[in-house]
Amino acid sequence: MRAGYNAVIIKYVAEYLRKSRGESIEDLIKHKTLLEELCERRGWVYIAYEEIETGESLYARPVMQQLLRDISENMYDAVVCVDLDRLGRGTLGEWDEIKKVFQKTQTYIVTPSSLYNLSDDNDEFAVDLQTVFARREYKKITFGYSYNLPKTQEALVDRQRRKTTSAS
């Protein structure tokens, strides 16, 4: 993970914006403004991909699927996003699919604070760690996992979640 962009030549980028659970359209607009300012400061030519509806699965996110097809066609030098977990907090298998597209095309991932090259072992390791923690956070938000509770309360939360899940 490199904090600077100077050693890497980037000209064409995709901005990927995805609204997360609990976020408003205003949040998405703030993110878009932040990414556009970053691209303009760097002199990058960009196209925005906006995923308005949140989707648990990669397959429920048509804009992300289109972005991956476009990356596969070598349309971009980098993808710019607010945070790595915007690209994917689904299953680890889905993340692996996303990662392979970036590696095969040597497309960078840029956030406001970092640049990642998934073809570099150190960057790949850093991104994989962040992905594991993001996935854990996602499960906590989605399934209501509670941590640091006495064992009896954890069991109660788990039992309630199973009832809810099996009733669906």
Side-chain angles (χ1 to χ4, degrees), residues 10-158:
I10 295 174
K11 184 170 182 177
Y12 300 102
V13 302
E15 287 181 353
Y16 182 70
L17 298 141
R18 181 177 58 82
K19 185 171 110 29
S20 290
R21 279 177 175 63
E23 288 185 333
S24 66
I25 294 296
E26 289 77 27
D27 293 319
L28 197 64
I29 292 168
K30 287 179 194 174
H31 294 169
K32 184 175 185 169
T33 302
L34 175 70
L35 297 181
E36 285 175 351
E37 289 172 356
L38 173 63
C39 290
E40 288 168 8
R41 271 195 320 272
R42 298 286 173 199
W44 296 338
V45 176
Y46 61 89
I47 294 177
Y49 290 73
E50 296 181 36
E51 197 93 61
I52 304 299
E53 297 298 321
T54 185
E56 286 184 29
S57 166
L58 172 61
Y59 308 106
R61 296 189 290 144
V63 175
M64 181 59 171
Q65 291 177 40
Q66 182 61 54
L67 174 59
L68 291 173
R69 284 191 295 273
D70 292 347
I71 293 169
S72 293
E73 296 292 324
N74 288 302
M75 289 179 61
Y76 303 109
D77 302 312
V79 172
V80 182
C81 52
V82 170
D83 199 350
L84 280 172
D85 67 1
R86 298 299 164 143
L87 295 175
R89 284 204 303 193
T91 67
L92 292 177
E94 290 175 353
W95 172 248
D96 196 48
E97 286 180 49
I98 293 168
K99 191 169 72 168
K100 284 178 183 174
V101 172
F102 280 86
Q103 289 170 327
K104 181 180 176 190
T105 60
Q106 297 186 1
T107 303
Y108 296 97
I109 299 172
V110 178
T111 67
S113 61
S114 298
L115 178 138
Y116 302 94
N117 173 3
L118 296 181
S119 297
D120 176 87
D121 287 340
N122 291 324
D123 284 5
E124 180 186 15
F125 179 70
V127 168
D128 283 347
L129 283 178
Q130 289 181 53
T131 301
V132 167
F133 285 110
R135 178 75 182 139
R136 183 75 169 169
E137 178 186 37
Y138 169 76
K139 283 183 173 183
K140 184 178 178 183
I141 293 166
T142 307
F143 300 113
Y145 290 147
S146 299
Y147 304 104
N148 300 323
L149 294 175
K151 293 285 182 201
T152 54
Q153 285 179 317
E154 283 183 20
L156 182 62
V157 168
D158 189 47

